[in-house]
Amino acid sequence: MSFMNITEDIHRQFAEYFDEKAIWPYAYLLSQRLTEGNICISLDDMHSNLNTTPYTNAVSAKDLLNYSNLVSKDGVNTTPFILHNDRLYFQRYFKYETSIIQKLKKLIAAETSLVADRMKQLELKVKLIQSLNANYNINGLTNKEQVDWQMVSVLQALLNNFSIITGGPGTGKTTTLAKLLIVLYELEPDAKVALAAPTGKASMRMFESLKSSTLPFSISTKQTIDGLKPSTIHSLLGYKKESVNFKYNAENPLPYNWVVVDEASMIDVPMFSKLLDALGDNCRIILLGDKDQLASVEAGSLLGDLCQTLPSLNIFSIKAASWINDFITDSERKIKPEFIGDQQQLMSSHIIELKFSHRFNSQGAIGKLSRAVIEGDTEKLKNLIENSAGTNVKIDHQYTPELLESFVEGYASYIQEADIKTALKKLNECRVLVAVRQGQRGLYTTNKLIELHLRKKGIIRPDGENYEHKPIMVTRNMHDLGLLNGDTGIMRKDDKGNLKVWFEDGQGGIKSILPAYLNYCETAFAMTIHKSQGSEFDQVMVILPEGISNALLTRELLYTGITRARTSITIQGEMDTIRHSVESCVQRISGITGRVD
């Protein structure tokens, strides 16, 4: 393997900052892996990966501790590198991981003396809770789909100090939260609840779903929920300009006793450490998210790692199952014997996976396709693709131009809508998603192709970089404008003829900003699958790059793209590319799964 000049190789610059040449291969690989999202490196893999560094020799792992000024064991000393459980960390990331584990253990340990009283309080609300039981048709569903996991999640989260509610698209994570809030505000009318997510778009989607819920909220509970102010995690913690620290921390904890975080798969390890650090002694936390989705762009795969600490999810002791089942009126929806067992791990009963999708049937085309992808079942995938004709799944191996052109003409719906607020909602009726930014099938080229076709059809009339009906996405937080990374807007003229970009304001209204003020944005006819996390569209077209050499192509990426669709999915990609994506999975190395027991 050839390596770039040292002045161009930041990993080599970092490694050779240290005087000890024996450390260079480890420092290089650790720096390289961190940029790929890994928290640490496994020493077992070090020598097999030596060819990815510019160095031909590495000191043996057992000799690493001889360099005590640079490496210490288990974080005892404040050296640049920490060796723990045969994994090598940067000191900072070892501290983040350690802090997370210690805080979770503290939260869960503190429940022990409180659970009995919490159970008694819930038993006083049995009628209310039973009125929130699931009522969807269970005929033809599997045993795991029949169980009312939403109610199980509500009860467990109200018992626990820390909970994870995970599930695929349409399984009702936000509905579960709404049910929880109905019971919570009956138990604690003055409960202080914070709603947050890694992006502003995701936090607003959670809030809007709560506001539009048709569940039987009392007037006071509805008013309280409508008064909640969703935010990004950054904003919740008190963002400080040009600082890695926040207003709220261990010394100045958050003024809430409940924190709910949606789209938790997008949380990186440093941010989660800081969030947990800012929880007060009486604050409880709930994470919502899809464990199978793409992990955070930054280091770590926190949600997935925590879910993997249990050999099986949704397993309860006989006693716990019996207590929960008393709140579920329909015998078919109770926890069944196959979900009863003895688990002694820290996270037992703290992670519940919702199993039934209300968006698309698990036996429908999209449900089967998404499951085959995330399970890496290439044989099932091949059969589904070969038999997709007549379903709401289309697979185009030839990248037929007419298929893309026909699809994007669906943008006419929002363009022809005169009311801007309605147009912003119609913008989500269809969307093109791409896997990469560069290249013939990348973001920039695809957006240009869509623009050209819509102009040819007379649907848009571009007369420069900025033009009416152009959709844009914010690519960086602009707090001074009240805009966050991922916010999407439309260019339209105001009643005075001035071209502005219109966004939803998060309060049910809209706001406008002059294009000249938007320094960080891009055209959004097409968007990357990464940027689509936390979004839903009626119809989705996923465009994969040609060839199978792209490291970004993984089953998690393809699964995330497919599951953005509510009603139909079209995939343009060669069969070998699709198969390669399904056979490749995100493998991020951390120590969390091995350290949480």
Side-chain angles (χ1 to χ4, degrees):
M1 180 181 290
S2 61
F3 286 86
M4 63 186 75
N5 186 287
I6 187 171
T7 60
E8 301 173 347
D9 189 340
I10 58 171
H11 308 302
R12 189 170 180 179
Q13 291 179 44
F14 170 76
E16 295 181 12
Y17 167 82
F18 301 100
D19 293 334
E20 299 288 355
K21 292 185 178 181
I23 297 295
W24 289 359
Y26 289 93
Y28 186 98
L29 189 62
L30 188 54
S31 175
Q32 185 184 65
R33 293 294 188 264
L34 183 63
T35 63
E36 296 168 358
N38 297 284
I39 296 300
C40 54
I41 56 173
S42 167
L43 298 185
D44 292 338
D45 297 333
M46 176 63 208
H47 289 278
S48 62
N49 287 305
L50 191 61
N51 64 340
T52 66
T53 78
Y55 312 107
T56 56
N57 294 299
V59 64
S60 67
K62 64 182 178 63
D63 291 328
L64 267 177
L65 292 173
N66 291 338
Y67 302 90
S68 57
N69 60 320
L70 296 176
V71 185
S72 60
K73 190 172 184 180
D74 303 332
V76 174
N77 300 317
T78 55
T79 53
F81 304 97
I82 304 296
L83 187 61
H84 181 82
N85 287 351
D86 291 326
R87 296 178 185 272
L88 189 68
Y89 296 78
F90 287 123
Q91 178 203 127
R92 183 159 61 104
Y93 282 87
F94 179 76
K95 285 185 174 180
Y96 285 142
E97 190 175 276
T98 301
S99 174
I100 288 170
I101 293 165
Q102 289 176 344
K103 184 68 176 186
L104 291 179
K105 288 182 175 180
K106 182 179 178 182
L107 281 167
I108 293 172
E111 297 167 3
T112 308
S113 60
L114 302 171
V115 167
D117 283 342
R118 290 174 181 174
M119 291 173 74
K120 290 178 182 177
Q121 290 178 330
L122 288 168
E123 287 163 9
L124 296 175
K125 302 294 180 181
V126 63
K127 293 298 183 184
L128 171 65
I129 294 169
Q130 288 177 342
S131 73
L132 301 172
N133 280 189
N135 59 5
Y136 55 83
N137 190 340
I138 62 175
N139 291 333
L141 299 184
T142 63
N143 279 354
K144 66 181 180 182
E145 290 175 316
Q146 290 178 358
V147 176
D148 189 352
W149 294 118
Q150 288 189 9
M151 186 50 59
V152 175
S153 299
V154 168
L155 292 167
Q156 282 301 141
L158 289 166
L159 293 180
N160 299 339
N161 285 344
F162 171 76
S163 297
I164 292 176
I165 301 173
T166 186
T171 51
K173 295 181 287 291
T174 309
T175 299
T176 302
L177 173 60
K179 292 178 180 181
L180 185 149
L181 292 176
I182 289 173
V183 181
L184 171 62
Y185 285 126
E186 281 289 321
L187 295 170
E188 302 175 38
D190 297 324
K192 296 179 180 179
V193 178
L195 302 178
T199 67
K201 177 175 61 178
S203 67
M204 280 310 307
R205 272 198 63 243
M206 171 173 52
F207 179 58
E208 288 166 357
S209 294
L210 286 173
K211 287 185 69 173
S212 62
S213 173
T214 57
L215 287 170
F217 296 105
S218 67
I219 294 175
S220 61
T221 295
K222 180 63 174 172
Q223 290 174 338
T224 301
I225 289 175
D226 288 351
L228 296 176
K229 294 183 177 180
S231 69
T232 62
I233 300 174
H234 279 82
S235 298
L236 176 69
L237 292 177
Y239 167 80
K240 290 183 177 181
K241 191 174 183 179
E242 298 180 358
S243 174
V244 297
N245 298 313
F246 294 92
K247 173 184 176 181
Y248 293 106
N249 49 45
E251 287 71 41
N252 182 35
L254 288 163
Y256 300 99
N257 44 24
W258 287 84
V259 171
V260 180
V261 182
D262 198 10
E263 296 295 343
S265 63
M266 299 166 67
I267 307 176
D268 59 61
V269 164
M271 181 56 66
F272 191 55
S273 174
K274 292 171 183 179
L275 175 61
L276 288 180
D277 198 41
L279 300 183
D281 290 340
N282 297 315
C283 188
R284 298 152 76 176
I285 181 168
I286 299 171
L287 303 184
L288 307 175
D290 185 347
K291 64 181 178 60
D292 295 323
Q293 257 189 215
L294 282 167
S296 62
V297 175
E298 304 300 332
S301 50
L302 198 283
L303 185 72
D305 286 347
L306 289 174
C307 289
Q308 288 178 15
T309 63
L310 294 176
S312 299
L313 300 182
N314 298 11
I315 301 297
F316 297 86
S317 68
I318 294 175
K319 183 178 179 181
S322 176
W323 183 80
I324 292 170
N325 282 341
D326 284 343
F327 291 89
I328 300 174
T329 54
D330 185 343
S331 61
E332 295 299 316
R333 302 180 195 272
K334 295 177 184 287
I335 297 174
K336 296 171 170 59
E338 64 196 85
F339 302 109
I340 294 175
D342 184 26
Q343 285 190 342
Q344 301 298 322
Q345 288 85 358
L346 179 71
M347 290 293 157
S348 298
S349 300
H350 289 77
I351 305 173
I352 309 297
E353 182 175 13
L354 306 179
K355 298 289 189 176
F356 174 70
S357 176
H358 298 263
R359 187 187 303 176
F360 39 74
N361 191 298
S362 63
Q363 299 307 307
I366 297 178
K368 287 182 177 180
L369 181 68
S370 63
R371 189 48 47 194
V373 167
I374 202 59
E375 291 176 354
D377 192 332
T378 54
E379 190 61 35
K380 184 185 292 184
L381 178 75
K382 180 174 178 290
N383 291 333
L384 289 170
I385 289 175
E386 290 175 350
N387 295 284
S388 61
T391 70
N392 52 355
V393 171
K394 293 180 182 177
I395 308 295
D396 175 26
H397 298 315
Q398 285 73 43
Y399 295 94
T400 308
E402 292 79 12
L403 194 59
L404 173 61
E405 291 169 359
S406 174
F407 183 88
V408 301
E409 286 172 20
Y411 286 128
S413 177
Y414 90 80
I415 291 170
Q416 294 167 359
E417 172 58 56
D419 181 72
I420 296 176
K421 183 177 177 181
T422 305
L424 283 164
K425 295 188 182 304
K426 286 189 173 184
L427 180 58
N428 289 332
E429 288 180 355
C430 64
R431 191 62 59 92
V432 176
L433 304 180
V434 297
V436 297
R437 288 182 168 272
Q438 306 290 344
Q440 185 180 1
R441 310 297 177 189
L443 179 71
Y444 307 120
T445 299
T446 302
N447 267 316
K448 186 57 65 177
L449 285 172
I450 296 171
E451 229 173 26
L452 289 171
H453 180 70
L454 295 180
R455 180 173 65 179
K456 177 183 174 182
K457 300 294 287 188
I459 296 173
I460 58 172
R461 294 178 174 81
D463 54 2
E465 182 179 350
N466 297 325
Y467 57 88
E468 274 213 285
H469 310 303
K470 179 180 180 179
I472 70 155
M473 172 176 282
V474 175
T475 58
R476 189 181 298 185
N477 292 339
M478 290 183 274
H479 294 281
D480 54 330
L481 298 177
L483 294 175
L484 298 167
N485 188 356
D487 286 349
T488 304
I490 302 172
M491 289 190 179
R492 288 270 180 100
K493 289 180 181 178
D494 63 14
D495 54 8
K496 295 181 180 179
N498 298 313
L499 189 64
K500 293 183 176 180
V501 186
W502 300 81
F503 298 89
E504 293 178 318
D505 65 4
Q507 305 299 319
I510 56 175
K511 62 183 178 183
S512 64
I513 295 171
L514 289 169
Y517 290 120
L518 299 174
N519 297 320
Y520 307 104
C521 62
E522 60 191 15
T523 307
F525 287 115
M527 60 195 293
T528 64
I529 296 173
H530 275 89
K531 287 287 188 181
S532 76
Q533 289 189 91
S535 298
E536 295 177 2
F537 311 102
D538 292 335
Q539 302 173 59
V540 168
M541 172 177 273
V542 171
I543 302 177
L544 301 177
E546 293 167 279
I548 61 173
S549 60
N550 198 297
L552 286 175
L553 296 178
T554 63
R555 69 182 63 161
E556 290 85 359
L557 183 85
L558 186 53
Y559 169 84
T560 301
I562 291 169
T563 55
R564 297 312 89 204
R566 294 190 188 99
T567 59
S568 71
I569 178 73
T570 301
I571 300 175
Q572 287 193 320
E574 299 165 334
M575 188 61 213
D576 285 347
T577 304
I578 296 173
R579 184 185 296 110
H580 168 76
S581 301
V582 173
E583 290 174 342
S584 305
C585 61
V586 175
Q587 294 181 322
R588 291 191 170 182
I589 302 172
S590 81
I592 288 177
T593 301
R595 296 177 69 187
V596 174
D597 48 29

